[in-house]
Every structure is written in structure tokens, then in C-alpha cells.
Amino acid sequence: TLDFYRAASPAGPFFLLEADVPAGKRPYSDAGLVNGTPYYYRLAAKTDKGVRTRLSEAIAAIPKADNSRPWGGLRVQGPPIVTDPSVLLGLWASDDTTHMRLCNEGEWAGAVWETFASSKSWTLSGAHGVNFVYVQFRDAAGNLSLPFPASVEYQTDSDHDGLGDAWEMRRFRSLLQGPRDDPDGDGLDN
């Protein structure tokens, strides 16, 4: 079992909130708190013979009225293969979303929070092959979403025809086809 203690300061004093809580009871909830006020918790485990461990380190928690994560997503607009690292992103999020931040390849260092917008011009990392873009949302209560990814393949276009070289080589074994050509005669452009 577990004994839960609470204090208004990380230094204490800590008061017993509840004793002998079954270890499998999750999550533990604490009622009658003031939103926005920090509280500090410590716990101790007890064996079935009543032997108690030392108190844990203090852990801080700040209750708030809205603790639901915002949700949403993003999509790289346009074709699944691009030849320019500059792309347009389409974004959507829950109604209470106020901010977003974006990054390439999951590297959040340097990512800046900005006001949420449903579209955004973005530059891919520039590495040839599949590139990932991630977005994270923040709502009015300060809750953060999980990161949402989107991917697009970025290819070189050495003949400047708008078709990725790797795509042309896979399909035609040369770079001689253009975007308006119809090599298979099906009435559809490349």
C-alpha cells in the first residue's frame, strides 16, 4: 500500500492525505484544491507487514480547470513528392488552440511558439528523401498536445521539369520525360 502526503511548500511540512492506498489504484486524485496553486506531494510504500519506506522526493503539481490536451494535425499540401524544399502546410486543431510550434525531423531546439494559423509556409530540412515536419499545439489553458507528424518526399530536379529525378528514373529509366508527357498513352499526364 501507499501513504500520500501533501504540503504547500517543497520543504513541508507534509501532512498525511490518505493512508493504505492500494498500490494498483491509478490515477490518484486529490480534491478541494485551488486551481493555479502549486502543491507538493511525497509518498511512502508499506509492505503487507506494515514496514514503511522512506518518503519519496517531493513532486510538484499545479491543478487547473482545463487539463485536456489540444488535438489536431498537419498535412503537406500538394503532391507527395516535391522538388522544392519550400512547402505549404495545412493545419487543424481543437477550437481552444491558441499557439503552435513546428520543427523538421522532430528537433524542437529553436522551435518558436507562434499564433495558430490554418496554413503556414515552411522549408523542409533539405535532405533528399522522406522529410518529416512536426507540429505541437498549445491551448488557452497552457495544455500541450502531443507532436503530430506529416511527411513528404523531397527530390532533386536536375532537368528542372518539376518531376523528381528519382521518380523519373524509377518510372522511365531516364530524365527525358516532362510533366505534360504521356509515355503510356493512357490520356493522363505524368
Side-chain angles (χ1 to χ4, degrees):
T1 63
L2 300 171
D3 292 346
F4 285 87
Y5 297 81
R6 181 179 70 201
S9 156
F14 283 83
F15 299 98
L16 180 64
L17 274 175
E18 191 172 347
D20 300 321
V21 176
K25 179 183 175 186
R26 289 188 177 82
Y28 178 79
S29 61
D30 187 7
L33 305 176
V34 177
N35 288 334
T37 301
Y39 295 92
Y40 301 87
Y41 296 89
R42 296 175 81 178
L43 61 93
K46 284 195 292 192
T47 68
D48 54 358
K49 294 181 181 175
V51 178
R52 193 182 90 162
T53 65
R54 294 183 330 168
L55 285 174
S56 67
E57 294 294 320
I59 297 173
I62 301 174
K64 52 186 170 179
D66 173 6
N67 61 2
S68 298
R69 293 178 187 263
W71 54 267
L74 82 153
R75 180 177 174 279
V76 178
Q77 306 286 28
I81 298 174
V82 296
T83 58
D84 184 337
S86 298
V87 296
L88 182 65
L89 303 176
L91 300 114
W92 61 94
S94 48
D95 290 340
D96 62 345
T97 298
T98 58
H99 290 83
M100 64 184 184
R101 66 178 180 166
L102 297 137
C103 72
N104 286 316
E105 307 304 324
E107 297 295 327
W108 294 104
V112 177
W113 288 103
E114 58 187 273
T115 301
F116 173 75
S118 60
S119 66
K120 168 95 175 147
S121 295
W122 188 254
T123 302
L124 301 172
S125 66
H128 295 287
V130 177
N131 280 238
F132 287 90
V133 180
Y134 293 84
V135 65
Q136 187 176 34
F137 301 111
R138 184 171 64 198
D139 66 17
N143 299 309
L144 300 180
S145 73
L146 296 171
F148 297 99
S151 65
V152 65
E153 187 172 343
Y154 171 54
Q155 293 184 4
T156 304
D157 180 19
S158 60
D159 58 353
H160 307 291
D161 61 1
L163 300 175
D165 291 350
W167 185 84
E168 281 186 89
M169 292 304 291
R170 277 195 309 266
R171 304 235 173 3
F172 310 120
R173 301 181 202 269
S174 76
L175 300 179
L176 300 176
Q177 296 292 321
R180 298 283 177 218
D181 293 338
D182 181 15
D184 58 3
D186 65 358
L188 300 172
D189 297 347
N190 281 332

